[in-house]
Amino acid sequence: MRSNLVGILMKNRKHILINEAVEMIRDGSLQISEYCRPFLEVCKSHNDHFKVWTHFNERQIEQDINLASSRLVSKFGDNSNLLTELGEKESGHARNLAGTETFPSIYGVPVAVKDIVDVGGLATGCGSPIYEGKNAPMYHVKHADASVVSRIKVMGGIVIGKTVTTEFATFQASSTQNPSCFGRTPGGSSSGSAAAVAAGMVPLAIGTQTAGSIIRPASYCGVVGFKPTLGTLDLSGVKGLARSFDTLGGFARYVSDVAWMIDSLSGSKLHRYCHVEHKPKSVGLCRSPFWNAADGALQTAWVELSNLIKSHDEQVRLKDVELPEIYDQSVELHKRIFAQEALDALHFEWHSFRSFFSEKLAQIMEQGEELSSEDYLKDITQMLSLRQAFDKAMGENDVLLTPSSTGVPPKFEEGTGDPIFNRLWSLLGVPAINVPGLKSREGLPVGIQVIARYGQDTAAISAAYWLESLLNEYYVPAKAT
């Protein structure tokens, strides 16, 4: 279903990383319109196939691109290419705009935003008939940007639209299709954001994770997905679901690009660790306590991954890791806390518009109602104990490699997939990053995630960059016979 345009775009942009593109924009060797337009062409020509966007206004995007170009002239007036492009009248106006000494780090870069995140001037639909569409009972346009959107704009990013989410970022499948394997689910809940990157519609996209809503879609769509340590990005202006787990993160095609984005939005210094000299010394292969959920493709890919690392990087110590038994019940623990906190977060909607809820979400709310406050406090205490014990459980390993999902993307009609390989890491609040590259014998994506200790996002990023490099250089997927 993908046209030649996507292939052309990826070929032309293959070696242009975000930091490189921004530097080219800064020095005038790349126009913002030149950089953005191929992405926008894919958006216009392919959204009917992939159903990625809830909001996409071409006229507004063109205005934002022109405004960004004007401001660029104001800040770097010696850019003769831009002065010629904008014309005398517009460039003269641009010179009167306020300048800045530090060039914004994602200037002119198109960014997609998940539709549970507020963007001023647009409604936030949350994938629910309660809010989505002008006829929805609670439809309303937001007047302020979420904190993360404000940071995107201050850093020069161009928000080109809002992407489809599942219902309140839970499990009711959306209409979004998977660009990497049409007819398969893109996962959820950040389905639109992952698909937008996979389709070549944007180089960067914002998502959220409460159970597996970044890592699983990234795995299914064959892109990089990064859930940083809990609390890295402020959640103001983001529709909440479960306060103990909700985390903002992002999608990109390359590890270095997603690191650059999170640096731009949080002030962290992850991108400098995207170099092979920072590769991990010791890596644990952790099938996790839920390996019995792995499909055949994942089991085969796991063996291929282990053999690949052993064959091509003897400097990295690799060993199997089995987590202590205390983590065996982490999925059920996550489900209980999730249910009670979702009941809190969606209390108004549940009591005012119960008939609008899908059956899947209604079951979660009903589970939350059945649990007592005493149950909740016991579960929170257990969660905190597991978080505290995880540093020791990691042993001497810098990171763990573990499955991102149960294997290949399920067929579209089967739903968004099972987050069983994600819930533990969301429960712990630790950084997780999906690294694409492994394939089933049929060519379907199989994701592997890198896990690091709480707050050690640099370890996660550096290991993910190392793994990405290994897969790109040496991995040859087996073919179906």
Side-chain angles (χ1 to χ4, degrees), residues 56-297:
F56 181 82
N57 186 324
E58 185 180 356
R59 179 178 297 179
Q60 182 61 53
I61 295 167
E62 291 291 347
Q63 291 176 359
D64 291 343
I65 290 172
N66 289 335
L67 180 59
S69 299
S70 298
R71 287 175 171 167
L72 181 58
V73 176
S74 171
K75 295 166 185 175
F76 295 87
D78 60 346
N79 190 320
S80 58
N81 292 332
L82 279 171
L83 294 177
T84 302
E85 179 188 84
L86 292 169
E88 184 177 350
K89 182 177 180 180
E90 187 173 336
S91 62
H93 168 70
R95 287 193 181 96
N96 294 324
L97 298 175
T100 181
E101 293 182 3
T102 303
F103 194 78
S105 54
I106 52 173
Y107 203 97
V109 177
V111 184
V113 175
K114 182 178 181 179
D115 196 20
I116 64 166
V117 181
D118 290 348
V119 176
L122 299 176
T124 300
C126 299
S128 167
I130 299 171
Y131 292 101
E132 196 168 49
K134 292 185 177 180
N135 294 325
M138 290 301 296
Y139 174 87
H140 61 285
V141 172
K142 300 292 184 176
H143 297 292
D145 291 329
S147 172
V148 67
V149 173
S150 178
R151 287 181 177 273
I152 290 170
K153 292 179 178 179
V154 168
M155 289 293 106
I158 299 174
V159 176
I160 69 166
K162 301 189 75 177
T163 55
V164 171
T165 174
T166 60
E167 179 189 22
F168 290 116
T170 55
F171 305 105
Q172 182 64 32
S174 69
S175 60
T176 301
Q177 296 284 337
N178 188 335
S180 71
C181 40
F182 204 81
R184 300 273 175 164
T185 179
S189 63
S190 304
S191 45
S193 291
V197 172
M201 294 179 174
V202 287
L204 299 175
I206 293 293
T208 63
Q209 178 157 314
T210 305
S213 294
I214 291 175
I215 300 300
R216 197 167 79 263
S219 175
Y220 290 165
C221 291
V223 298
V224 175
F226 182 33
K227 182 198 83 69
T229 293
L230 180 71
T232 296
L233 295 172
D234 184 75
L235 291 166
S236 300
V238 179
K239 181 63 175 175
L241 180 59
R243 57 188 174 272
S244 293
F245 314 130
D246 291 347
T247 306
L248 277 161
F251 299 89
R253 282 194 166 267
Y254 304 103
V255 171
S256 63
D257 281 352
V258 81
W260 186 266
M261 177 173 69
I262 298 302
D263 283 353
S264 300
L265 303 180
S266 70
S268 55
K269 304 294 183 184
L270 302 175
H271 188 264
R272 66 178 59 173
Y273 291 89
C274 291
H275 195 281
V276 290
E277 69 181 25
H278 296 294
K279 68 182 180 181
K281 296 178 180 178
S282 181
V283 172
L285 287 175
C286 179
R287 298 191 304 180
S288 91
F290 318 108
W291 184 247
N292 59 357
D295 68 15

